[in-house]
Amino acid sequence: MEAPRQTPAYRLIVTLGVAGFLSGLIIVSVYEWTRPKILAHQAESLRKAVLEVLPAAKTMRPLVEVDGAWRIAPEGGATAGAGTAGAESGSGDGASGSSTSAAADGADDGAAGGKEAAPGERAFAGFDDSGSLVGFAFEAEGGGFQDVIRLIYGFDPKAREIVGMRILESRETPGLGDKIYKDPKFVHGFDALAVDPEIVLVKGAGSGKENEVHAITGATISSRAVVEILRTSRAHWDDATPQDTSMDRTRVSEKEEVQGGS
Amino acid sequence: MTTTGSDLVLQSPPFDSARLTTPKLMQEVTLATVPVLLAAVWFFGITALFIVAAACAGAMGAEWLFGQRTATGRRGATLGDGTALLTGVLMGLTLPPTIPLWMAFVGGLVGIGIGKLVWGGLGGNIFNPALVGRAFLQAAFPTALTTWRASGGADTLFHVDKGAFAIPFASSGVDAVTTATALSRMKFDAEFLPWLDLLRGNVAGSLGETSAGILILCGIWMGVRRLYDWRVPVTILVTVAVLGQIFHFVSPEKYPDALFMLFSGGLLYGAVFMATDPATSPTAPRGALIFGAGIGVLVVLIRLFGGLPEGVMYAILLMNATTPLIERVTQPRIFGR
Amino acid sequence: MAAEAKSPDRLYQEFTKGIWKENPIFVQVLGMCPMLAVTNTAINALAMGAATAFVLIGSSFLVSLLRKFVPKEVRISTYIVIIATFVTAADFLLQATVPDIHRELGAFISLIVVNCLILGRQEAFASRNSVGYAVVDAIGMGIGFALALFMLGSAREILGFGSFFGHPLFGPNYEPWVVMILPPGGFLMLGMILLVMNWFQQRKSRSRETMEKAA
């Protein structure tokens, strides 16, 4: 704006410094103000997804890794469940635990803390009203026709069945590949799907066995991708699912269930 | 535009008047599609005729509505040259037999409207209008454009698909018994149909593409009548056959042989009727060779390594885009410069 | 430049030019990246338009306020810092209030930073005009941008999903025009709208010509 004369360097530095400072101030205050709400939303949508793929479950707790073994996080620790997730995680503390580094916050009740898996391969245990274990929910991801497909599925270790599946994220072709979450026939094909000896994808009528998934006409690749993701995830978790839930004294019966099932 | 320039001979005047004018060329090519249309009716029933008619109605409607006016201001000055009709027929024949009629109509409308007229009308377009219409339909209604029905014969001649008469903007609503095409069975099930069936045409596929035998005959007739530059289809077919056979030698259980590659899908139809469009293919002989080879390579790449089972349409459209460039490179130099 | 009187007439002009005569999308053809990517539904388009308008108004205000203090050597960097601040704030605000829409818009919220419309207004207008005009100009441009996105978004949603603001319009049998919700659909729809606008413009100027000839 002024005459074309060299501006001293200190003025340039001061200007940018002041701009950076002001900008930082604004961003930090907005961040502090909105963070609890954002975390609450994230926890809530995760809880919804888990409870959706485990229809019998009412509450949930994440699985955490302690000394290389997977266990169910102790109650009262990091949990996104417990019915009133919104209010509870509004405090910021509970919510941060559920979405990032689980049990760390809740470790003060004496139980050993653990590490939750990275987003994308997290696992959760679901409990019904009476507090007994009804199954596990696993996040899983893998390559689809276009891009990575992320999904979550519920697994009943007693019946050795997948009891529900929901696609969390996919970019499959609209009209064809996106039927993996838009076609109710395909989605409900995972409501009672046996995993033994292994999940197979069939075209056409199939033979009516319980471990069969019917491929979507015109979206064979996307259907195959979903089955492949489930198979890989099963192979990974089948040995790793917690055998010992003794961290919680009230869950003795459920411990037997898990062991009897696998 | 009026001649295909396959016999460029330098001569001094006087000249005789050209044998072919645009309307006449269009008429003869349209005539050449009649056997294909009849085959389509034989294999897929009378519905085929309705679909092609709907596509023509869309194409000619667009030409009438948005095309040039006559000197007196009446609409439809360019309808008479027959290009809109031909575009409609050619596009209609690329559609699957289960498509609702209104979609065929929209395809014709888009093909002429967006594929031709916005570029300034006949000769101004870069892309083949019929393929633009089909590409739009493929992108807009992927399910309807990939739902195939098994072919029939005399017994199903007067069978009319209920889905064809779905009200505009509604899906066909009928869960037709679908069949995979030869190419998708090759791609997803590694299963190769015998080439004799492909030659006859009693396989699933788009209306006009299934009967390889009739397409070959039409192609030869058009070549003899000099309706197109024979170099284009011949280079396409030779390239596909040679490349396909090479891959077949490398891994016979994974890749089909040359005959399957030639007779399946829309290759013959595309090579004979689509790639030869004089407005969107190079005129110089050397250019025609480059153009045809490019299409052939792209077809093989898309079919064997791409995500889609068939790639003739995209291969031709892509090479259409390179036509101005090819023309520039292959333009014969003026003597003395 | 600073001592100009605020005439209501000029205020009105600066306000309306962004909405019609210099519409960022339809006339200046700026900000194509968000236009193509997020106008697949009316609500996404509206959210994107609102976020962009928020950033534009905020940055125009600050840039105009600071225009005397910022040396011209670092003006672009300063503008970018200011714009980025508002974009980050908008990102957090959307995430906190409408998480579903935020998920749909994804990375395109952060990409408002590089929307040439915003930097363009700072360089061409806010840095040369007083705060009042700058803000009015930003409001006009923001509304024009949001309206254009909304138009595209509505048309694409109606064709591509058969719904408007998520409410189905045509019943279960509607066959969606899938291409309309993909980026090519954005190009096609924009082209068609421009076609219609130019056609009207031509007709108007032609009828004006014939009137002048007759007179």
Side-chain angles (χ1 to χ4, degrees), chain A residues 51-166:
Chain A
L51 297 189
E52 207 167 295
V53 296
L54 282 173
K58 290 284 178 289
T59 58
M60 56 168 264
R61 276 183 278 149
L63 295 192
V64 292
E65 193 172 16
V66 184
D67 306 329
W70 289 94
R71 295 155 178 265
I72 299 170
E75 200 159 17
T79 165
T84 52
E88 174 195 287
S89 40
S91 66
D93 216 356
S96 74
S98 70
S99 64
T100 49
S101 61
D105 295 341
D108 47 322
D109 62 350
K115 237 181 72 206
E116 217 179 302
E121 44 195 55
R122 281 178 294 187
F124 305 90
F127 306 92
D128 65 10
D129 276 333
S130 62
S132 49
L133 181 81
V134 294
F136 298 100
F138 300 102
E139 282 185 323
E141 57 187 20
F145 184 55
Q146 307 269 10
D147 203 347
V148 169
I149 298 176
R150 281 188 51 222
L151 56 81
I152 186 165
Y153 68 95
F155 179 66
D156 181 348
K158 207 160 55 168
R160 293 201 53 78
E161 266 182 0
I162 286 176
V163 291
M165 186 277 299
R166 219 185 89 170

Side-chain angles (χ1 to χ4, degrees), chain B residues 103 136 139-142 169-171, chain C residues 173-179 188 192:
Chain B
M103 285 185 197
F136 178 84
F141 313 111
F169 296 100
S171 58
Chain C
N173 261 338
Y174 180 76
E175 176 81 27
W177 297 45
V178 175
V179 68
L188 281 172
M192 286 183 213

Side-chain angles (χ1 to χ4, degrees), chain C residues 62-75:
Chain C
L62 264 187
V63 165
S64 175
L65 198 68
L66 302 173
R67 69 188 190 281
K68 299 267 172 56
F69 306 103
V70 177
K72 71 175 190 322
E73 288 89 344
V74 290
R75 66 183 195 287

Side-chain angles (χ1 to χ4, degrees), chain C residues 154-164 166-171 174-177 181:
Chain C
S154 314
R156 287 175 68 185
E157 183 180 352
I158 290 170
L159 279 177
F161 289 104
S163 63
F164 189 57
H167 300 292
L169 294 178
F170 302 110
Y174 180 76
E175 176 81 27
W177 297 45
I181 46 181

